[in-house]
Coordinates of all heavy atoms in Angstrom, one line a residue:
M1 N 0.8 -1.2 0.0 CA 0.0 0.0 0.0 C 0.9 1.3 0.0 O 1.9 1.3 0.7 CB -0.9 0.0 1.2 CG -2.1 -0.9 1.2 SD -3.2 -0.8 2.6 CE -2.4 -1.8 3.7
Q2 N 0.4 2.2 -0.7 CA 1.2 3.5 -0.8 C 0.6 4.5 0.2 O -0.6 4.7 0.3 CB 1.0 4.1 -2.2 CG 1.9 5.4 -2.3 CD 1.8 5.9 -3.8 OE1 1.2 5.3 -4.6 NE2 2.6 7.0 -4.0
K3 N 1.5 5.1 1.0 CA 1.1 6.1 1.9 C 0.6 7.4 1.2 O 1.1 7.7 0.1 CB 2.3 6.5 2.8 CG 2.7 5.4 3.7 CD 3.9 5.9 4.6 CE 4.4 4.7 5.4 NZ 5.7 5.1 6.1
I4 N -0.3 8.1 1.8 CA -0.9 9.3 1.3 C -0.7 10.4 2.3 O -0.9 10.2 3.5 CB -2.4 9.1 1.0 CG1 -2.7 7.9 0.0 CG2 -3.1 10.4 0.5 CD1 -2.2 8.2 -1.4
A5 N -0.3 11.6 1.8 CA -0.2 12.7 2.7 C -1.1 13.8 2.3 O -1.5 13.9 1.1 CB 1.2 13.2 2.6
L6 N -1.6 14.6 3.2 CA -2.3 15.8 3.0 C -1.6 17.0 3.5 O -1.0 16.9 4.6 CB -3.7 15.8 3.7 CG -4.8 14.8 3.3 CD1 -6.0 15.0 4.1 CD2 -5.1 15.0 1.8
V7 N -1.6 18.1 2.8 CA -1.1 19.3 3.3 C -2.3 20.3 3.2 O -2.9 20.5 2.1 CB 0.1 19.9 2.4 CG1 0.5 21.2 2.9 CG2 1.2 18.9 2.4
V8 N -2.8 20.7 4.3 CA -4.0 21.5 4.4 C -3.6 22.9 5.1 O -3.0 22.9 6.1 CB -5.0 20.8 5.3 CG1 -6.3 21.6 5.4 CG2 -5.3 19.4 4.8
T9 N -4.1 23.9 4.4 CA -4.0 25.2 5.0 C -5.4 25.7 5.4 O -6.3 25.7 4.6 CB -3.3 26.2 4.0 OG1 -2.1 25.7 3.6 CG2 -3.2 27.6 4.6
I10 N -5.5 26.2 6.6 CA -6.8 26.7 7.1 C -6.6 28.1 7.7 O -5.7 28.3 8.5 CB -7.3 25.8 8.3 CG1 -7.4 24.3 7.8 CG2 -8.7 26.3 8.8 CD1 -7.8 23.3 8.9
E11 N -7.4 29.0 7.2 CA -7.4 30.3 7.7 C -8.6 30.5 8.6 O -9.7 29.9 8.3 CB -7.4 31.4 6.6 CG -6.1 31.4 5.8 CD -6.1 32.4 4.7 OE1 -6.9 33.4 4.7 OE2 -5.2 32.3 3.8
F12 N -8.5 31.2 9.7 CA -9.6 31.3 10.7 C -9.8 32.8 11.1 O -8.9 33.6 10.9 CB -9.4 30.4 11.9 CG -8.0 30.6 12.5 CD1 -7.9 31.6 13.5 CD2 -6.9 29.8 12.2 CE1 -6.6 31.8 14.1 CE2 -5.7 30.0 12.8 CZ -5.5 31.0 13.7
K13 N -10.9 33.1 11.7 CA -11.2 34.4 12.1 C -10.3 34.8 13.3 O -10.1 34.0 14.2 CB -12.7 34.5 12.6 CG -13.7 34.2 11.5 CD -15.1 34.2 12.1 CE -16.1 33.9 11.0 NZ -17.5 33.8 11.5
P14 N -9.6 35.9 13.2 CA -8.6 36.3 14.2 C -9.1 36.2 15.6 O -8.4 35.8 16.5 CB -8.2 37.7 13.8 CG -8.6 37.8 12.4 CD -9.8 36.9 12.1
E15 N -10.3 36.6 15.9 CA -10.9 36.7 17.2 C -11.2 35.3 17.8 O -11.5 35.1 19.0 CB -12.1 37.5 17.3 CG -13.3 37.0 16.5 CD -13.3 37.4 15.0 OE1 -12.3 37.9 14.5 OE2 -14.4 37.1 14.4
S16 N -11.1 34.3 16.9 CA -11.5 32.9 17.3 C -10.3 32.0 17.5 O -10.4 30.8 17.7 CB -12.4 32.3 16.3 OG -11.7 32.1 15.1
K17 N -9.1 32.6 17.5 CA -7.8 31.8 17.5 C -7.8 30.7 18.6 O -7.5 29.5 18.4 CB -6.6 32.6 17.6 CG -5.3 31.9 17.5 CD -4.1 32.8 17.5 CE -2.8 32.0 17.2 NZ -1.7 32.9 17.0
A18 N -8.1 31.1 19.9 CA -8.0 30.1 21.0 C -9.0 29.0 20.8 O -8.6 27.8 21.0 CB -8.2 30.8 22.3
S19 N -10.2 29.2 20.5 CA -11.2 28.2 20.4 C -11.0 27.3 19.1 O -11.1 26.1 19.2 CB -12.6 28.7 20.4 OG -12.8 29.6 19.4
F20 N -10.5 28.0 18.0 CA -10.2 27.2 16.8 C -9.1 26.2 17.1 O -9.2 25.0 16.8 CB -9.8 28.1 15.7 CG -9.3 27.4 14.5 CD1 -10.1 26.7 13.6 CD2 -7.9 27.3 14.3 CE1 -9.6 26.0 12.6 CE2 -7.4 26.6 13.2 CZ -8.2 25.9 12.4
L21 N -8.0 26.7 17.7 CA -6.8 25.9 18.0 C -7.2 24.7 18.9 O -6.7 23.6 18.8 CB -5.6 26.7 18.5 CG -5.0 27.6 17.5 CD1 -3.9 28.4 18.1 CD2 -4.4 26.8 16.3
Q22 N -8.0 25.0 19.9 CA -8.4 23.9 20.9 C -9.2 22.8 20.1 O -8.9 21.6 20.3 CB -9.2 24.5 22.0 CG -9.5 23.5 23.1 CD -8.3 22.9 23.7 OE1 -7.5 23.7 24.3 NE2 -8.0 21.6 23.6
S23 N -10.1 23.2 19.3 CA -10.9 22.2 18.5 C -10.0 21.4 17.6 O -10.1 20.2 17.5 CB -11.9 22.9 17.7 OG -12.9 23.5 18.5
L24 N -9.0 22.1 17.0 CA -8.1 21.4 16.1 C -7.2 20.5 16.8 O -7.0 19.3 16.4 CB -7.2 22.5 15.3 CG -6.2 21.9 14.3 CD1 -6.8 21.0 13.3 CD2 -5.4 23.0 13.7
L25 N -6.6 20.9 17.9 CA -5.7 20.0 18.7 C -6.5 18.8 19.3 O -5.9 17.7 19.4 CB -5.0 20.8 19.8 CG -4.0 21.9 19.2 CD1 -3.4 22.7 20.3 CD2 -2.9 21.2 18.4
D26 N -7.7 19.0 19.7 CA -8.6 17.9 20.1 C -8.8 16.9 19.0 O -8.7 15.7 19.2 CB -9.9 18.4 20.7 CG -9.8 19.2 22.0 OD1 -8.7 19.1 22.6 OD2 -10.8 19.8 22.3
H27 N -9.0 17.4 17.8 CA -9.2 16.6 16.6 C -8.0 15.8 16.3 O -8.0 14.6 16.1 CB -9.6 17.5 15.4 CG -9.6 16.8 14.1 ND1 -10.3 15.7 13.8 CD2 -9.0 17.1 12.9 CE1 -10.2 15.3 12.6 NE2 -9.3 16.2 12.0
K28 N -6.8 16.5 16.4 CA -5.5 15.8 16.2 C -5.4 14.6 17.1 O -5.0 13.5 16.7 CB -4.4 16.8 16.4 CG -3.0 16.1 16.4 CD -1.9 17.1 16.8 CE -0.6 16.4 16.9 NZ 0.5 17.3 17.2
Q29 N -5.6 14.8 18.4 CA -5.5 13.7 19.4 C -6.5 12.6 19.1 O -6.1 11.4 19.2 CB -5.7 14.3 20.8 CG -4.6 15.2 21.3 CD -3.2 14.5 21.1 OE1 -2.4 14.9 20.3 NE2 -2.9 13.6 22.0
R30 N -7.7 12.9 18.8 CA -8.7 11.8 18.5 C -8.2 11.0 17.3 O -8.3 9.8 17.3 CB -10.1 12.4 18.2 CG -10.8 13.0 19.4 CD -12.2 13.3 19.1 NE -12.4 14.3 18.0 CZ -12.5 15.6 18.1 NH1 -12.4 16.2 19.3 NH2 -12.7 16.4 17.1
C31 N -7.7 11.7 16.2 CA -7.3 11.0 15.0 C -6.1 10.1 15.3 O -6.1 8.9 14.9 CB -6.9 12.0 13.9 SG -8.2 12.9 13.3
L32 N -5.1 10.5 16.0 CA -3.9 9.7 16.3 C -4.3 8.6 17.3 O -3.7 7.5 17.1 CB -2.8 10.6 16.9 CG -2.2 11.6 16.0 CD1 -1.3 12.5 16.7 CD2 -1.4 10.8 14.9
A33 N -5.2 8.8 18.2 CA -5.6 7.7 19.1 C -6.6 6.7 18.6 O -6.6 5.5 18.9 CB -6.2 8.3 20.4
G34 N -7.5 7.2 17.7 CA -8.6 6.3 17.3 C -8.7 5.9 15.8 O -9.6 5.2 15.4
E35 N -7.7 6.4 15.0 CA -7.7 6.0 13.6 C -6.4 5.3 13.3 O -5.4 5.9 13.1 CB -7.8 7.3 12.7 CG -9.1 8.0 12.9 CD -9.2 9.3 12.0 OE1 -8.2 9.6 11.3 OE2 -10.2 10.0 12.1
P36 N -6.4 4.0 13.3 CA -5.1 3.2 13.1 C -4.4 3.6 11.8 O -3.1 3.5 11.8 CB -5.6 1.8 13.0 CG -7.0 1.7 13.6 CD -7.6 3.1 13.4
G37 N -5.0 4.1 10.8 CA -4.4 4.4 9.6 C -3.8 5.8 9.5 O -3.1 6.2 8.6
T38 N -4.0 6.6 10.6 CA -3.5 8.0 10.7 C -2.1 7.8 11.3 O -2.0 7.5 12.5 CB -4.4 8.9 11.5 OG1 -5.6 9.0 10.9 CG2 -3.7 10.3 11.6
L39 N -1.0 8.0 10.5 CA 0.3 7.8 11.0 C 0.9 9.1 11.6 O 1.8 8.9 12.5 CB 1.2 7.3 9.8 CG 0.7 6.1 9.1 CD1 1.6 5.8 7.9 CD2 0.6 4.9 10.1
Q40 N 0.6 10.2 11.1 CA 1.2 11.5 11.6 C 0.2 12.6 11.4 O -0.6 12.6 10.4 CB 2.5 11.7 10.8 CG 3.3 12.8 11.3 CD 4.6 13.0 10.6 OE1 5.0 12.1 9.8 NE2 5.3 14.0 10.9
F41 N 0.2 13.6 12.3 CA -0.7 14.7 12.2 C 0.0 15.9 12.8 O 0.0 15.9 14.1 CB -2.1 14.4 12.9 CG -3.2 15.3 12.6 CD1 -4.4 14.9 12.1 CD2 -3.1 16.7 12.9 CE1 -5.4 15.7 11.9 CE2 -4.1 17.6 12.7 CZ -5.3 17.1 12.1
E42 N 0.5 16.7 12.0 CA 1.3 17.9 12.6 C 0.5 19.2 12.3 O 0.0 19.3 11.2 CB 2.7 18.0 11.9 CG 3.5 16.7 12.0 CD 3.9 16.4 13.5 OE1 3.9 17.3 14.3 OE2 4.2 15.2 13.7
V43 N 0.5 20.0 13.3 CA -0.1 21.4 13.2 C 1.1 22.4 13.2 O 1.8 22.5 14.1 CB -1.1 21.6 14.3 CG1 -1.7 23.0 14.2 CG2 -2.2 20.6 14.4
L44 N 1.2 23.1 12.1 CA 2.2 24.1 11.9 C 1.7 25.5 11.9 O 0.6 25.7 11.3 CB 3.0 23.8 10.6 CG 3.4 22.4 10.4 CD1 4.0 22.2 9.0 CD2 4.5 22.0 11.4
T45 N 2.4 26.5 12.5 CA 1.9 27.9 12.4 C 2.9 28.7 11.6 O 4.0 28.9 12.0 CB 1.8 28.4 13.9 OG1 3.0 28.3 14.5 CG2 0.7 27.7 14.7
P46 N 2.4 29.2 10.5 CA 3.2 30.0 9.6 C 3.6 31.3 10.3 O 2.8 31.9 10.9 CB 2.4 30.3 8.4 CG 1.3 29.3 8.4 CD 1.1 28.9 9.9
T47 N 4.8 31.7 10.2 CA 5.3 33.0 10.8 C 4.7 34.2 10.1 O 4.6 35.2 10.7 CB 6.8 33.1 10.9 OG1 7.3 32.9 9.5 CG2 7.4 32.0 11.8
E48 N 4.3 34.1 8.9 CA 3.9 35.2 8.1 C 2.3 35.4 8.2 O 1.8 36.4 7.7 CB 4.3 35.2 6.7 CG 3.7 34.1 5.8 CD 4.5 32.8 6.0 OE1 5.5 32.7 6.6 OE2 4.0 31.8 5.4
N49 N 1.6 34.5 8.8 CA 0.1 34.6 8.9 C -0.3 34.1 10.2 O -0.5 32.8 10.3 CB -0.5 33.9 7.7 CG -2.0 34.2 7.7 OD1 -2.6 34.7 8.7 ND2 -2.7 33.8 6.6
A50 N -0.6 34.9 11.2 CA -1.0 34.5 12.5 C -2.4 33.9 12.6 O -2.8 33.4 13.6 CB -0.8 35.7 13.5
H51 N -3.1 34.1 11.5 CA -4.5 33.6 11.5 C -4.7 32.4 10.6 O -5.7 32.2 9.9 CB -5.4 34.7 11.1 CG -5.2 36.0 11.9 ND1 -5.4 36.0 13.3 CD2 -4.8 37.2 11.6 CE1 -5.1 37.2 13.8 NE2 -4.7 37.9 12.8
S52 N -3.6 31.6 10.5 CA -3.7 30.4 9.7 C -2.9 29.3 10.3 O -2.0 29.5 11.2 CB -3.3 30.6 8.3 OG -1.9 30.8 8.2
V53 N -3.2 28.0 9.9 CA -2.4 26.9 10.3 C -2.1 26.1 9.0 O -2.9 26.1 8.1 CB -3.0 26.0 11.4 CG1 -3.1 26.7 12.7 CG2 -4.4 25.5 11.0
V54 N -1.1 25.3 9.0 CA -0.8 24.3 8.0 C -0.7 23.0 8.6 O -0.1 22.8 9.7 CB 0.5 24.6 7.2 CG1 0.8 23.6 6.2 CG2 0.5 26.0 6.6
L55 N -1.5 22.0 8.1 CA -1.5 20.7 8.6 C -0.7 19.8 7.7 O -0.9 19.9 6.5 CB -3.0 20.2 8.8 CG -4.0 21.0 9.5 CD1 -5.3 20.4 9.5 CD2 -3.5 21.4 10.9
F56 N 0.0 18.9 8.3 CA 0.7 17.8 7.5 C 0.1 16.5 8.1 O 0.3 16.2 9.3 CB 2.2 17.8 7.6 CG 2.8 16.6 7.0 CD1 2.9 16.6 5.6 CD2 3.2 15.5 7.7 CE1 3.5 15.4 5.0 CE2 3.7 14.4 7.1 CZ 3.9 14.4 5.8
E57 N -0.6 15.8 7.3 CA -1.3 14.5 7.7 C -0.7 13.4 6.9 O -0.7 13.5 5.7 CB -2.8 14.6 7.6 CG -3.4 15.8 8.4 CD -4.8 16.0 8.1 OE1 -5.6 15.0 7.9 OE2 -5.3 17.2 8.1
L58 N -0.4 12.3 7.5 CA 0.1 11.1 6.8 C -0.7 9.9 7.1 O -1.0 9.6 8.3 CB 1.6 10.9 7.2 CG 2.3 9.7 6.5 CD1 2.4 10.0 5.0 CD2 3.7 9.5 7.1
Y59 N -1.2 9.3 6.1 CA -2.0 8.1 6.2 C -1.4 6.9 5.6 O -0.6 7.0 4.6 CB -3.4 8.4 5.5 CG -4.1 9.5 6.2 CD1 -3.9 10.8 5.7 CD2 -4.9 9.3 7.3 CE1 -4.5 11.9 6.4 CE2 -5.5 10.4 7.9 CZ -5.3 11.7 7.5 OH -5.9 12.7 8.1
A60 N -1.7 5.7 6.1 CA -1.1 4.5 5.7 C -1.5 4.1 4.3 O -0.8 3.4 3.6 CB -1.5 3.4 6.7
S61 N -2.7 4.5 3.9 CA -3.2 4.2 2.5 C -4.3 5.1 2.1 O -4.8 5.9 3.0 CB -3.7 2.7 2.6 OG -4.8 2.7 3.5
A62 N -4.7 5.0 0.9 CA -5.9 5.8 0.4 C -7.1 5.4 1.2 O -8.0 6.2 1.5 CB -6.1 5.5 -1.1
E63 N -7.2 4.1 1.6 CA -8.4 3.6 2.4 C -8.4 4.3 3.8 O -9.5 4.6 4.3 CB -8.4 2.1 2.5 CG -8.6 1.4 1.2 CD -7.4 1.3 0.3 OE1 -6.2 1.6 0.8 OE2 -7.5 1.0 -0.9
A64 N -7.2 4.5 4.4 CA -7.2 5.1 5.7 C -7.6 6.6 5.6 O -8.3 7.1 6.5 CB -5.7 5.0 6.2
L65 N -7.3 7.2 4.5 CA -7.7 8.6 4.3 C -9.2 8.7 4.1 O -9.9 9.6 4.7 CB -7.0 9.2 3.1 CG -7.5 10.7 2.7 CD1 -7.3 11.6 3.9 CD2 -6.7 11.1 1.5
V66 N -9.8 7.8 3.3 CA -11.2 7.7 3.2 C -11.9 7.5 4.5 O -12.9 8.2 4.9 CB -11.6 6.6 2.2 CG1 -13.1 6.3 2.2 CG2 -11.2 6.9 0.8
A67 N -11.4 6.6 5.4 CA -11.9 6.4 6.7 C -11.8 7.6 7.5 O -12.8 8.0 8.3 CB -11.2 5.2 7.4
H68 N -10.7 8.3 7.4 CA -10.6 9.6 8.2 C -11.6 10.6 7.8 O -12.3 11.2 8.6 CB -9.2 10.2 8.0 CG -9.0 11.6 8.4 ND1 -8.9 11.9 9.8 CD2 -9.0 12.8 7.8 CE1 -8.8 13.2 9.9 NE2 -8.9 13.8 8.7
D69 N -11.8 10.8 6.4 CA -12.7 11.8 5.9 C -14.2 11.4 6.3 O -15.0 12.3 6.5 CB -12.6 11.8 4.4 CG -11.4 12.6 3.9 OD1 -10.8 13.3 4.8 OD2 -11.0 12.5 2.7
A70 N -14.5 10.2 6.5 CA -15.8 9.8 6.8 C -16.0 9.6 8.3 O -17.1 9.3 8.8 CB -16.1 8.4 6.1
G71 N -15.0 9.8 9.1 CA -15.0 9.5 10.5 C -15.7 10.6 11.4 O -15.9 11.7 10.9
G72 N -16.0 10.2 12.6 CA -16.6 11.1 13.5 C -15.8 12.2 14.0 O -16.3 13.3 14.3
S73 N -14.5 12.1 14.1 CA -13.7 13.1 14.6 C -13.7 14.3 13.6 O -13.8 15.5 14.1 CB -12.2 12.7 14.8 OG -11.5 13.8 15.3
L74 N -13.6 14.1 12.3 CA -13.6 15.2 11.4 C -15.0 15.9 11.4 O -15.0 17.1 11.3 CB -13.2 14.7 10.0 CG -13.1 15.8 8.9 CD1 -12.1 16.8 9.3 CD2 -12.8 15.2 7.5
A75 N -16.0 15.1 11.5 CA -17.4 15.7 11.5 C -17.5 16.6 12.8 O -18.1 17.7 12.7 CB -18.4 14.5 11.6
L76 N -17.0 16.1 13.9 CA -17.1 16.9 15.1 C -16.2 18.2 15.0 O -16.7 19.3 15.4 CB -16.6 16.1 16.3 CG -16.6 16.8 17.7 CD1 -18.0 17.4 18.0 CD2 -16.1 15.9 18.8
F77 N -15.0 18.1 14.4 CA -14.2 19.2 14.2 C -14.9 20.3 13.3 O -14.9 21.5 13.6 CB -12.9 18.9 13.6 CG -12.0 20.0 13.2 CD1 -11.5 20.9 14.1 CD2 -11.8 20.3 11.8 CE1 -10.8 22.0 13.7 CE2 -11.1 21.4 11.4 CZ -10.6 22.3 12.4
K78 N -15.5 19.8 12.2 CA -16.2 20.7 11.3 C -17.4 21.4 12.0 O -17.7 22.5 11.8 CB -16.7 19.9 10.1 CG -15.6 19.6 9.1 CD -16.1 18.8 7.9 CE -15.1 18.5 6.9 NZ -15.6 17.7 5.7
E79 N -18.1 20.6 12.9 CA -19.2 21.2 13.6 C -18.7 22.3 14.6 O -19.3 23.4 14.7 CB -19.9 20.1 14.4 CG -21.1 20.5 15.2 CD -21.7 19.4 16.0 OE1 -21.8 18.3 15.5 OE2 -22.0 19.6 17.2
Q80 N -17.6 22.0 15.3 CA -17.1 22.9 16.3 C -16.4 24.1 15.6 O -16.6 25.3 16.0 CB -16.1 22.2 17.2 CG -16.8 21.2 18.1 CD -15.7 20.4 18.9 OE1 -14.6 20.3 18.5 NE2 -16.2 19.8 20.0
A81 N -15.6 23.9 14.7 CA -14.7 24.9 14.1 C -15.2 25.5 12.8 O -14.7 26.6 12.4 CB -13.3 24.4 13.9
G82 N -16.1 24.8 12.1 CA -16.6 25.3 10.8 C -16.9 26.8 10.8 O -16.5 27.5 9.9
P83 N -17.7 27.3 11.8 CA -18.1 28.7 11.7 C -16.9 29.7 11.9 O -17.0 30.8 11.7 CB -19.1 28.8 12.9 CG -19.6 27.5 13.1 CD -18.4 26.5 12.8
L84 N -15.8 29.1 12.4 CA -14.6 30.0 12.7 C -13.6 30.0 11.5 O -12.7 30.9 11.5 CB -13.8 29.4 13.9 CG -14.7 29.1 15.1 CD1 -13.8 28.4 16.2 CD2 -15.4 30.3 15.6
I85 N -13.8 29.2 10.5 CA -12.9 29.0 9.4 C -13.3 30.0 8.3 O -14.5 30.1 7.9 CB -12.9 27.6 8.9 CG1 -12.3 26.7 10.0 CG2 -12.1 27.4 7.6 CD1 -12.4 25.2 9.7
T86 N -12.3 30.6 7.7 CA -12.6 31.5 6.6 C -12.1 31.0 5.2 O -12.6 31.4 4.2 CB -11.9 32.9 6.8 OG1 -10.5 32.8 7.0 CG2 -12.5 33.6 8.0
K87 N -11.1 30.1 5.2 CA -10.6 29.5 4.0 C -9.9 28.2 4.2 O -9.2 28.1 5.2 CB -9.7 30.5 3.3 CG -9.1 30.1 2.0 CD -8.3 31.2 1.4 CE -7.7 30.8 0.1 NZ -6.8 31.8 -0.5
V88 N -10.0 27.3 3.3 CA -9.4 26.0 3.4 C -8.8 25.6 2.0 O -9.5 25.8 1.0 CB -10.3 24.9 3.9 CG1 -9.6 23.5 3.9 CG2 -10.9 25.2 5.2
S89 N -7.6 25.2 2.0 CA -7.0 24.6 0.8 C -6.4 23.2 1.2 O -5.8 23.1 2.3 CB -6.0 25.5 0.1 OG -4.8 25.6 0.9
R90 N -6.6 22.3 0.3 CA -6.2 20.9 0.7 C -5.5 20.3 -0.5 O -6.0 20.3 -1.6 CB -7.4 20.1 1.1 CG -7.2 18.7 1.4 CD -8.5 18.1 1.9 NE -8.6 16.7 1.7 CZ -9.3 15.8 2.4 NH1 -10.0 16.3 3.4 NH2 -9.3 14.6 2.1
Q91 N -4.3 19.8 -0.3 CA -3.5 19.1 -1.4 C -3.3 17.6 -1.0 O -2.8 17.3 0.1 CB -2.1 19.7 -1.6 CG -2.2 21.1 -2.2 CD -0.8 21.6 -2.4 OE1 0.0 21.8 -1.5 NE2 -0.4 21.8 -3.7
H92 N -3.7 16.7 -1.9 CA -3.4 15.3 -1.7 C -2.0 15.1 -2.3 O -1.7 15.5 -3.4 CB -4.4 14.5 -2.5 CG -5.7 14.4 -1.9 ND1 -6.2 13.3 -1.3 CD2 -6.6 15.4 -1.7 CE1 -7.4 13.6 -0.8 NE2 -7.7 14.8 -1.1
C93 N -1.1 14.3 -1.6 CA 0.2 14.1 -2.1 C 0.5 12.6 -2.0 O 0.2 12.0 -1.0 CB 1.2 14.9 -1.2 SG 1.0 16.6 -1.2
S94 N 1.2 12.1 -3.0 CA 1.7 10.7 -2.9 C 3.1 10.8 -2.2 O 3.9 11.7 -2.4 CB 1.9 10.1 -4.3 OG 0.6 10.0 -4.9
V95 N 3.4 9.8 -1.5 CA 4.7 9.7 -0.8 C 5.6 8.9 -1.7 O 5.3 7.8 -2.0 CB 4.6 9.1 0.6 CG1 5.9 8.9 1.3 CG2 3.6 9.9 1.5
L96 N 6.7 9.5 -2.1 CA 7.7 8.8 -2.9 C 8.6 8.0 -2.1 O 9.2 8.4 -1.1 CB 8.6 9.8 -3.7 CG 7.8 10.7 -4.7 CD1 8.8 11.7 -5.3 CD2 7.1 9.9 -5.7
N97 N 8.8 6.7 -2.4 CA 9.7 5.8 -1.7 C 10.8 5.4 -2.7 O 10.5 4.8 -3.7 CB 8.9 4.6 -1.3 CG 7.9 4.9 -0.2 OD1 8.2 5.6 0.8 ND2 6.7 4.4 -0.3
P98 N 12.0 5.8 -2.4 CA 13.1 5.5 -3.3 C 13.4 4.0 -3.4 O 13.1 3.2 -2.5 CB 14.3 6.2 -2.7 CG 13.9 6.6 -1.3 CD 12.4 6.5 -1.2

């Protein structure tokens, strides 16, 4: 199986930073603890934009990503943080293995 990575950039309302980040970090913990196919989930803060985060997510397979997308943790995150988000971009990446 080929690993799949996501690089996601999320911009959020400046006044909602604390609650947005709490929802996101809770989501990260749920994914790593409850989704066996989620191998890595990093939250990065760009120095040039204080109102955005970049996520690096690594999945064991395309099926693991499908399970993540359909899972309860993502649904809960969208419910909690959706109103705080102003923009999302998502890139699917294949992991090259030499």
Side-chain angles (χ1 to χ4, degrees):
M1 285 186 274
Q2 183 175 3
K3 293 178 184 175
I4 301 292
L6 289 182
V7 178
V8 181
T9 302
I10 304 174
E11 295 182 15
F12 53 87
K13 296 177 183 176
E15 66 275 11
S16 67
K17 184 173 186 173
S19 57
F20 171 79
L21 289 176
Q22 187 61 58
S23 294
L24 178 58
L25 293 174
D26 290 347
H27 171 55
K28 171 187 173 175
Q29 290 306 109
R30 289 190 304 266
C31 291
L32 291 171
E35 297 176 359
T38 301
L39 304 176
Q40 189 174 350
F41 192 124
E42 303 296 337
V43 179
L44 311 170
T45 55
T47 55
E48 66 277 355
N49 185 348
H51 308 299
S52 72
V53 293
V54 176
L55 309 180
F56 174 79
E57 304 173 32
L58 183 63
Y59 297 92
S61 64
E63 293 79 14
L65 175 57
V66 168
H68 168 77
D69 284 345
S73 182
L74 184 57
L76 179 58
F77 172 69
K78 287 179 178 180
E79 179 184 318
Q80 292 173 338
L84 312 176
I85 294 172
T86 58
K87 184 178 179 183
V88 177
S89 67
R90 177 173 153 153
Q91 291 183 297
H92 288 248
C93 304
S94 298
V95 177
L96 298 178
N97 292 316

